[in-house]
Amino acid sequence: MPKLNKIKKLKKIRLHHEGTHILITASFILLALNVGLYYGFETKIPFYIVGFISVILYALMVNFFQCPIRRFKGDTEKTVVAPADGKIVVIEEVEENEYFHDRRLMISIFMSITNVHANWYPVEGVVKYVAHHNGRFMKAWLPKASTENERSTVVIDTPDGQTVMARQIAGAVARRIVTYAEAGEECFIDEHMGFIKFGSRVDVYLPLGSEVCVKMGQKTTGNETIIAKLK
C-alpha cells in the first residue's frame, strides 16, 4: 500500500511548460561539457567533479520547474490561499499606492531557488486589473522590492464584493515574470496565475480586518495553505 501511495503521488507531479526550453538547453550544455571532460583529459577527476555538480544543478532546475497538480480541499468562500510555495516574510499594514491608494494588510511569501515557482490565484472572483512594471532586481526579501523591483500586479474582485491584490515580484536572480491573468476573466483557486523564473516573492494585499491564519517564518504550500480569511 505505501508503494502504491508513492506512485500516485509521483503521478500528481509534472514539469511546468515554462521550463521546457531551459531544461532541454541545459541538458545539452551539461552533457556536452561532461563528455568533453571525459574524453579530453587523461585524469577523470575533473569529469567526476563537474559531473557531480551538473547532477545537483540539473536536479535543482527540475525541482524549480515542477508543476504539482493540487486541488484545494475546503470551502473557498472568504478563503485566501497561499499563491506560492515558500516562507512568510512579511505580515503588516502598509500603504498601497498603485491601485487602492489606502492602507492594506500585506502578507508576503518569499520563494527560494529550491521552491516550486508556479503561482496560483489566492482567491476566486473576477480579474479587474493586470499590470506589468519594469524595475530593479534587488533581493526579493527587501522591503523596497515590493515597489521598486520588476513586478506584475493582479487585482481580483471576490464574489462577496471584496478586492484582493496579488503582486509577483522578481528577485536578484529572477529575470522573467510570467502572468496568465487577463482583466475581465473569471479566476478560481486551483488555477495558475503565473510563474516567476529563479528566486522571487509574491505579495498579497487584503482588506484591513482580514483574519491572518499564518505567522512569520511559516512555510507555505501553494494552493493548499490558508493564509487569511476575509472579513
Side-chain angles (χ1 to χ4, degrees), residues 117-165:
H117 271 52
N119 299 153
W120 287 263
Y121 287 107
V123 294
E124 299 194 332
V126 176
V127 178
K128 301 300 292 183
Y129 171 86
V130 179
H132 180 84
H133 305 277
N134 295 324
R136 301 168 65 184
F137 296 98
M138 296 184 292
K139 293 177 181 178
W141 60 79
L142 295 174
K144 289 185 177 181
S146 183
T147 55
E148 295 187 16
N149 274 23
E150 181 108 3
R151 61 200 181 277
S152 285
T153 301
V154 178
V155 177
I156 303 165
D157 279 353
T158 66
D160 60 339
Q162 301 192 67
T163 307
V164 173
M165 172 190 287

Side-chain angles (χ1 to χ4, degrees), residues 13-45:
I13 297 176
R14 58 184 176 182
L15 294 179
H16 202 284
H17 64 84
E18 295 292 345
T20 303
H21 177 73
I22 292 176
L23 290 174
I24 291 175
T25 302
S27 66
F28 280 114
I29 292 174
L30 294 175
L31 180 62
L33 175 61
N34 282 276
V35 169
L37 289 173
Y38 185 83
Y39 290 105
F41 295 88
E42 289 187 11
T43 174
K44 300 306 179 195
I45 294 178

Side-chain angles (χ1 to χ4, degrees), residues 199-218:
S200 40
R201 162 179 160 182
V202 179
D203 294 344
V204 180
Y205 293 82
L206 306 170
L208 296 182
S210 299
E211 177 189 355
V212 178
C213 301
V214 289
K215 59 184 178 180
M216 287 290 292
Q218 179 178 332

Side-chain angles (χ1 to χ4, degrees), residues 33-230:
L33 175 61
N34 282 276
V35 169
L37 289 173
Y38 185 83
Y39 290 105
F41 295 88
E42 289 187 11
T43 174
K44 300 306 179 195
I45 294 178
F47 166 73
Y48 293 139
I49 294 174
V50 175
F52 178 72
I53 295 173
S54 297
V55 169
I56 293 177
L57 178 61
Y58 199 75
L60 284 172
M61 293 177 66
V62 169
N63 178 73
F64 180 92
F65 286 110
Q66 275 192 66
C67 184
I69 301 173
R70 296 172 182 164
R71 297 289 180 265
F72 179 74
K73 298 178 181 179
D75 186 6
T76 60
E77 185 178 1
K78 299 185 183 297
T79 297
V80 184
V81 299
D85 289 12
K87 182 174 69 173
I88 301 292
V89 293
V90 177
I91 303 174
E92 64 181 8
E93 288 187 19
V94 298
E95 193 75 23
E96 199 294 304
N97 292 315
E98 177 184 350
Y99 184 86
F100 296 113
H101 302 285
D102 62 15
R103 294 192 67 77
R104 295 276 152 167
L105 173 63
M106 182 175 77
I107 300 177
S108 298
I109 299 172
F110 174 72
M111 294 172 281
S112 73
I113 198 167
T114 59
N115 289 125
V116 171
H117 271 52
N119 299 153
W120 287 263
Y121 287 107
V123 294
E124 299 194 332
V126 176
V127 178
K128 301 300 292 183
Y129 171 86
V130 179
H132 180 84
H133 305 277
N134 295 324
R136 301 168 65 184
F137 296 98
M138 296 184 292
K139 293 177 181 178
W141 60 79
L142 295 174
K144 289 185 177 181
S146 183
T147 55
E148 295 187 16
N149 274 23
E150 181 108 3
R151 61 200 181 277
S152 285
T153 301
V154 178
V155 177
I156 303 165
D157 279 353
T158 66
D160 60 339
Q162 301 192 67
T163 307
V164 173
M165 172 190 287
R167 179 176 287 155
Q168 300 169 283
I169 303 168
V173 182
R175 286 297 183 270
R176 188 181 179 205
I177 297 175
V178 181
T179 305
Y180 306 135
E182 294 184 6
E185 70 178 10
E186 288 187 302
C187 63
F188 301 92
I189 288 174
D190 290 344
E191 290 183 340
H192 282 157
M193 180 179 71
F195 195 97
I196 312 178
K197 296 185 178 181
F198 298 112
S200 40
R201 162 179 160 182
V202 179
D203 294 344
V204 180
Y205 293 82
L206 306 170
L208 296 182
S210 299
E211 177 189 355
V212 178
C213 301
V214 289
K215 59 184 178 180
M216 287 290 292
Q218 179 178 332
K219 292 184 178 180
T220 62
T221 301
N223 202 54
E224 290 186 4
T225 304
I226 297 176
I227 61 173
K229 287 284 190 177
L230 298 175

